[in-house]
Amino acid sequence: MPDKAHPRIGFRARSRSVPPNIPAAVQRATSLLLAKRSAAVAQVPEWEGWRQAAHDARLEGISHLDEYIKIVQARVQSAGGNFHLARDSAQACALVVEIARAGGVRTVVKSKSMATEEIGLNHALEEAGIASFETDVGEFIIQMAGVGPSHILGPTLHMTKEDIAELFTRKLGIDAPPDPRALTDIARSALRERFLSAEMGISGANFVVAETGTVVLVTNEGNGRLCTTLPDIHIAVAGIDKIIPDWNSLAALLRVLPRNATGQKLSTYTSFITGPRRSEGEEGAREFHLILLDNGRSRIRSDPAASETLLCIRCAACLNICPVYNHVGGHAYGGAYSGPIGAILSPQLLGTNIAGDLPFASSLCGACTDVCPVKIPIPSILLHLRHRIAEGQVAERPSVPFRVRLMASLASIGLSSPWLYHTGAFLIRLGQRPFQHGDRLTALPPPLNRWTNVRPFPAFRGGFQKWWHTRRSARSQTFSKSQNLESSLPARETASQPANLSLAAMDRLIQEVNLVAGHAQHITLQEIDAALATLVAVGGIKKAALWQTDYITRLALADRLRKLGVNIIPATADKRALAEADLGITEVDFALPESGTLGLLSSPDRSRSISVLPRAHLAVVRPQALRPDLQQVFQEAKNEGYLVFITGPSRTSDIESVPTLGAHGPEALYVWAMD
Amino acid sequence: MRARVQVFATCLGENFFSDVLKDMVTVLERLGVQCEFPEGQTCCGQPFYNSGFQSQTLALARNWLRAFANTTGYIVAPSGSCTDFVRHRYLELFPPGAPEHPQVEEIASRAVEFTEFLTRVLKVTEMGAHFPHKVTYHAACHSLRNLGLRDEPKLLLQAVEGLELVPLAEEETCCGFGGVFSVIYPEVSRAMMDAKVKNIQASGAEYIVTNEPGCLMNISGVLQRIGSPIKPMHLIQILASSKDSSRPSP
């Protein structure tokens, strides 16, 4: 929706009309997320250094944005993709509609994206007669409910499972039980056909890496992978602020984002997409577009006191910790972005005349800044915006009423003169008597009744100065102890300890995969048949699809499965046929023991969808796939057109924060460490 | 050399908590510190700054600087919020290049919060205080996050003879005061406050203690409204309690 049409956001009216059950639902979810974050951060002694590095990486991108935008454009185009820069919401929406029409698109599947929420893309597509389906379980639910997201990560955080069951029953005409597993399955099956038939997939981007023009998506459910793999056309819509310089910056950011957001070392899926598919036999979109969205971001950049707003990586930790957010929920903020980041971002994107209430919706407690992984000075930016709203700026008139400004001027004159200050305090002590009950003022006239309606105000009482003067003249001063007060305040030191790397890499990988709900084990060649037989029996496997890499072929897994009565779907089959597989088998190109992460590339032999469409995924890891850290993998893979990181089975926590596996991707992840 | 400090009374302290200021002077003198009270101090300007009226803050800040110019030694306040404001935000109000900037660097950098002064400058926690009661502690936001005082106030409380410090759930969550916030959005402030008071009641303490007048004003107001027997106190008042002094109920 275009900015001009946005109605003024009245925070007080919205925060007063929050249904009483919402704070409880919100607090249950945010406290869970915070507990997971705390546990993850506690494992990283060098956390403060990581935050600083993440801050620096983001600042570099934002500081030289104009140059990086040009680099992104060049890299995306040389990778065979299309690059667009949209000035505002209307232009971004028009671009998407235009691309869709040119491609004869009737149906779009969308993965979760705050940028497309910001520009109101679904509405624009709908008006153009194009069906647009949100596929994130949470977004699927709120699209059905007809409301915006109430949280950056968990759009449905304010809803109970009963609310969702009632909604499904009403809208889908089925009998939906209030059970997260059943509700997730309903969403999964309702959306599977959409994925397979949509001609276009739209995603956001967590990061856009300038070095190679790569779009990075951090997700858990697998819908993002399906949206960017199955349809012929993929559009990524991202704010210009999502650009980061290079893959080293990416490594610095990927280690803080999931930990700070959900307490995961890495989210289940991290996709790295550079342009369209590179060869005919390969999976993935044949047409790729990147739409970079300005929509007020350049304006934010040009205000030095607020430009760090753009460092945000949307982890939502500031929402989780914010006492204001926890009592009002996300919808009170009236826009796509809520909580402390929404309170500084929305007024800058929409204008202080529309969202000027939001910077005042904070007690300035500072908890947000403490948990921010990129160290955005949120309270300072709130204060700066309050200043713009109260006193105006070159290009902006103050939006605070004249009478308030007049009162502030008079008060400031009174308080900056000691004589007026003391006289005023004296007069108040006389004048307060009618309102006084004991040592309290219980009912003050407006606007001060906003305080006294909630709790009494203490009565003014002087006395210190009188005491001070009487006492000083009455006594002779004697001091027995002397202290050296010139010593400066000691600086606080933090010790950091080297990480314990005593476990063998493969053992560590197995351990970490199992920690993220995967099933990992050592397997020898002799054990393959027995292990396969168990897997087939346990998973009820009838059809399987396999990568065609040399190693997978050498292991003769297809023949072994046939002997167990399993049908093999050729890897070259179309997506509908592949979607029928119960089991997908892949090799692993990279393995990161520290987080239990598997890195998979794409080629005609390496189908992208085999690791995401089936209910079960078996990944075979050889020791030569092991890498010490993200930087090493990025060094080797950054020029590939596609890379995906898999850390555990597909999951969602969108329904009452209950972790539910198999949201859109595999419910079971088996990892065989080949010795 | 005799220790000397300047009392920064703060406007909340002077107009609502004169007993706290008296106790602050008493405790400091008991420790051998000589206190001086610069005349002419009013309000540091924080309420204006936090409401967005930065240019209106300038006159107040200049008055504060005038009051503390030509003084020596640390400037001690019973409030972490006011201390944080003059120490950190004055540098933004008068950035390098402003005529007042050198003065801010010289004067405002001497400002310390009371518990900070005791634990980091004097390096004392034990001062012969006696308070045989069950006490719980609320961490004030600006002391905690902007001055980094997480353990210091509790160390002081733990050293008080007879005092039993019981934990407060969500000790570090804001009480909902927030200055101008509590007047602009009273309903949200109230929700935050109610959560705080619920935790205070659940702690089983007889006293709720904090080192911030703003929080104290907010919390004591609610406790009074609901008729709770739990008594609010400034941390300084506890440190001033001795075996001989019979402390009047606040």
Side-chain angles (χ1 to χ4, degrees):
Chain A
M1 132 182 40
D3 297 355
K4 286 179 209 84
H6 206 296
R8 201 185 159 280
I9 297 166
F11 185 82
R12 189 170 183 218
R14 286 169 171 274
S15 63
R16 286 170 96 171
S17 58
V18 172
N21 55 320
I22 286 198
V26 169
Q27 286 161 31
R28 189 180 46 224
T30 55
S31 58
L32 251 167
L33 285 166
L34 282 177
K36 288 184 192 163
R37 173 195 178 269
S38 302
V41 169
Q43 287 181 1
V44 183
E46 59 274 47
W47 180 250
E48 284 309 310
W50 285 17
R51 284 177 79 205
Q52 190 59 45
H55 169 91
D56 295 347
R58 291 289 285 138
L59 195 59
E60 165 62 22
I62 299 301
S63 307
H64 304 99
L65 205 47
D66 296 333
E67 293 134 72
Y68 284 120
I69 290 174
K70 290 196 187 98
I71 298 175
V72 169
Q73 172 168 20
R75 298 290 187 275
V76 166
Q77 287 170 345
S78 70
N82 302 282
F83 174 89
H84 314 266
L85 186 58
R87 194 176 49 245
D88 54 23
S89 300
Q91 203 186 2
C93 290
L95 273 165
V96 174
V97 170
E98 195 182 307
I99 296 164
R101 284 192 175 139
V105 171
R106 282 164 306 165
T107 306
V108 169
V109 280
K110 276 190 74 249
S111 71
K112 196 166 114 46
S113 141
M114 291 308 293
T116 60
E117 289 284 352
E118 176 187 326
I119 62 175
L121 181 60
N122 284 336
H123 184 67
L125 286 168
E126 205 177 288
E127 283 198 334
I130 299 160
S132 173
F133 298 100
E134 293 289 351
T135 61
D136 172 86
V137 171
E139 290 281 336
F140 172 74
I141 294 166
I142 62 164
Q143 187 182 30
M144 197 180 289
V147 297
S150 76
H151 186 270
I152 291 174
L153 293 183
T156 49
L157 195 117
H158 60 289
M159 299 175 85
T160 61
K161 55 182 187 291
E162 286 77 16
D163 295 336
I164 297 164
E166 192 271 331
L167 180 73
F168 279 11
T169 305
R170 189 154 46 83
K171 296 273 183 170
L172 297 174
I174 49 166
D175 191 18
D179 167 55
R181 168 84 265 169
L183 294 168
T184 304
D185 283 341
I186 291 169
R188 180 182 169 119
S189 41
L191 288 165
R192 205 25 101 93
E193 177 53 33
R194 307 276 185 222
F195 284 122
L196 293 170
S197 57
E199 301 92 355
M200 179 188 271
I202 298 178
S203 73
N206 290 88
F207 303 104
V208 177
V209 187
E211 185 182 0
T212 47
T214 302
V215 165
V216 182
L217 293 174
V218 178
T219 66
N220 274 314
E221 295 184 1
N223 63 312
R225 293 185 63 198
L226 293 169
C227 286
T228 57
T229 298
L230 300 176
D232 262 352
I233 306 173
H234 170 204
I235 303 181
V237 183
I240 52 174
D241 53 314
K242 294 289 173 176
I243 300 177
I244 55 170
D246 50 31
W247 288 71
N248 279 337
S249 313
L250 180 61
L253 290 158
L254 276 182
R255 66 187 179 187
V256 297
L257 173 57
R259 281 182 169 88
N260 215 63
T262 53
Q264 292 166 286
K265 287 179 177 171
L266 276 175
S267 297
T268 304
Y269 301 119
T270 313
S271 306
F272 308 82
I273 302 166
T274 312
R277 65 188 180 210
R278 294 197 169 174
S279 55
E280 234 353 270
E282 192 184 348
E283 278 185 317
R286 69 174 160 71
E287 189 179 320
F288 171 81
H289 298 263
L290 173 63
I291 300 180
L292 284 184
L293 175 72
D294 189 314
N295 206 29
R297 288 166 173 77
S298 293
R299 205 168 52 231
I300 298 178
R301 262 190 77 215
S302 64
D303 181 353
S307 59
E308 286 184 77
T309 307
L310 297 177
L311 303 183
C312 177
I313 55 175
R314 312 279 189 260
C315 72
C318 64
L319 280 66
N320 299 336
I321 198 128
C322 178
V324 174
Y325 175 87
N326 273 293
H327 287 293
V328 302
H331 290 144
Y333 293 82
Y337 306 99
S338 54
I341 187 65
I344 59 171
L345 189 53
S346 295
Q348 298 187 77
L349 292 177
L350 301 170
T352 49
N353 52 335
I354 290 169
D357 278 7
L358 300 183
F360 293 91
S362 162
S363 65
L364 302 175
C365 80
C368 45
T369 282
D370 274 10
V371 297
C372 179
V374 290
K375 301 175 81 164
I376 301 175
I378 296 179
S380 293
I381 298 174
L382 287 167
L383 286 169
H384 171 70
L385 293 171
R386 290 180 183 189
H387 172 50
R388 276 171 49 176
I389 291 158
E391 296 189 332
Q393 249 195 354
V394 189
E396 196 174 44
R397 297 174 59 78
S399 44
V400 161
F402 175 74
R403 59 173 199 286
V404 176
R405 277 181 285 147
L406 183 70
M407 264 167 52
S409 303
L410 294 175
S412 126
I413 293 168
L415 284 169
S416 54
S417 146
W419 184 81
L420 284 174
Y421 171 77
H422 290 298
T423 312
F426 173 74
L427 292 175
I428 289 175
R429 288 201 294 276
L430 289 181
Q432 71 186 349
R433 298 226 169 113
F435 305 100
Q436 201 168 344
H437 291 266
D439 61 351
R440 298 280 152 176
L441 307 175
T442 44
L444 290 172
L448 295 173
N449 63 347
R450 287 188 173 196
W451 175 285
T452 51
N453 284 346
V454 175
R455 67 307 241 171
F457 198 75
F460 276 67
R461 46 201 284 235
F464 171 70
Q465 289 216 31
K466 196 172 162 198
W467 174 83
W468 173 265
H469 289 296
T470 329
R471 187 164 160 279
R472 192 168 57 168
S473 54
R475 53 189 290 214
S476 60
Q477 298 174 3
T478 49
F479 293 93
S480 52
K481 265 168 92 178
S482 96
Q483 297 275 349
N484 177 14
L485 292 186
E486 304 309 311
S487 61
S488 60
L489 306 185
R492 305 191 114 193
E493 285 173 25
T494 50
S496 70
Q497 289 176 340
N500 185 354
L501 293 172
S502 62
L503 279 170
M506 201 59 109
D507 285 344
R508 179 70 192 272
L509 179 76
I510 290 173
Q511 184 189 333
E512 291 291 328
V513 168
N514 289 331
L515 278 176
V516 291
H519 307 282
Q521 57 183 14
H522 287 285
I523 292 279
T524 60
L525 288 175
Q526 293 72 37
E527 292 165 339
I528 289 180
D529 279 321
L532 264 187
T534 312
L535 201 158
V536 166
V538 170
I541 309 296
K542 297 191 176 60
K543 292 181 181 179
L546 298 82
W547 271 15
Q548 307 287 84
T549 52
D550 291 345
Y551 185 64
I552 296 289
T553 313
R554 254 190 290 141
L555 290 178
L557 294 173
D559 288 341
R560 295 175 199 256
L561 282 167
R562 278 193 201 97
K563 279 182 199 148
L564 294 165
V566 175
N567 288 322
I568 303 297
I569 300 166
T572 50
D574 72 2
K575 56 193 178 187
R576 279 187 187 279
L578 288 176
E580 289 183 7
D582 309 301
L583 172 69
I585 302 182
T586 72
E587 199 183 331
V588 166
D589 295 297
F590 305 101
L592 287 164
E594 195 265 337
S595 53
T597 297
L598 315 172
L600 277 62
L601 296 170
S602 165
S603 69
D605 294 338
R606 295 169 163 85
S607 154
R608 298 184 195 186
S609 57
I610 280 181
S611 60
V612 64
L613 277 173
R615 274 275 183 190
H617 172 205
L618 166 61
V620 181
V621 189
R622 285 190 286 170
Q624 50 264 52
L626 293 165
R627 296 293 183 278
D629 52 30
L630 280 179
Q631 282 90 337
Q632 182 59 44
V633 178
F634 288 170
Q635 202 52 44
E636 294 175 46
K638 65 185 178 189
N639 293 315
E640 299 281 344
Y642 181 87
L643 167 69
V644 63
F645 279 168
I646 298 174
T647 312
S650 155
R651 64 172 67 224
T652 183
S653 298
D654 279 343
I655 301 170
E656 283 199 359
S657 309
V658 177
T660 307
L661 301 183
H664 290 290
E667 190 179 338
L669 172 67
Y670 300 95
V671 175
W672 287 358
M674 303 303 295
D675 296 322
Chain B
M1 199 194 105
R2 179 179 288 177
R4 175 190 296 176
V5 300
Q6 310 299 325
V7 173
F8 172 13
T10 78
C11 58
L12 283 191
E14 198 170 344
N15 289 302
F16 303 108
F17 297 99
S18 49
D19 292 343
V20 173
L21 291 171
K22 293 174 197 168
D23 283 347
M24 182 166 98
V25 171
T26 308
V27 171
L28 288 170
E29 289 182 353
R30 219 182 267 163
L31 291 167
V33 178
Q34 182 188 342
C35 297
E36 293 182 349
F37 180 76
E39 305 284 340
Q41 49 177 304
T42 60
C43 163
C44 64
Q46 182 172 197
F48 289 84
Y49 191 89
N50 288 1
S51 312
F53 295 103
Q54 287 192 15
S55 43
Q56 314 283 9
T57 314
L58 294 173
L60 278 79
R62 288 197 188 103
N63 181 68
W64 190 91
L65 289 169
R66 211 161 30 237
F68 286 92
N70 307 316
T71 64
T72 54
Y74 284 97
I75 297 168
V76 183
S79 157
S81 190
C82 304
T83 302
D84 166 53
F85 187 72
V86 299
R87 200 153 91 197
H88 299 130
R89 298 284 174 200
Y90 273 20
L91 288 166
E92 291 172 18
L93 274 173
F94 305 109
E100 296 88 347
H101 184 76
Q103 226 188 345
V104 171
E105 285 205 308
E106 193 276 312
I107 305 172
S109 61
R110 287 191 275 128
V112 290
E113 186 272 337
F114 180 77
T115 67
E116 186 180 27
F117 179 72
L118 294 188
T119 55
R120 292 189 187 166
V121 180
L122 294 185
K123 299 190 181 5
V124 293
T125 49
E126 168 59 54
M127 55 209 70
H130 176 82
F131 196 75
H133 296 285
K134 216 180 206 183
V135 164
T136 194
Y137 170 74
H138 160 69
C141 296
H142 294 170
S143 283
L144 173 72
R145 300 197 179 86
N146 302 357
L147 303 178
L149 297 165
R150 176 163 271 124
D151 302 324
E152 288 80 351
K154 286 189 275 184
L155 289 175
L156 288 166
L157 287 174
Q158 276 158 348
V160 172
E161 194 191 330
L163 184 147
E164 186 194 347
L165 184 62
V166 296
L168 175 64
E170 294 170 24
E171 168 191 315
E172 296 185 356
T173 302
C174 178
C175 69
F177 173 60
V180 66
F181 163 79
S182 55
V183 178
I184 300 182
Y185 300 122
E187 295 81 9
V188 188
S189 171
R190 179 182 192 150
M192 289 161 68
M193 203 173 66
D194 287 347
K196 178 57 72 178
V197 166
K198 220 163 107 189
N199 284 324
I200 292 172
Q201 289 175 316
S203 74
E206 302 161 70
Y207 288 83
I208 168 70
V209 171
T210 184
N211 55 339
E212 189 60 61
C215 310
L216 205 56
M217 201 161 100
N218 187 37
I219 294 171
S220 63
V222 197
L223 290 174
Q224 194 173 46
R225 191 196 69 204
I226 62 174
S228 165
I230 302 171
K231 292 176 275 296
M233 259 177 123
H234 195 290
L235 192 144
I236 291 173
Q237 296 174 287
I238 305 252
L239 299 184
S241 309
S242 61
K243 231 168 204 158
D244 345 304
S245 75
S246 55
R247 169 141 299 281
S249 182

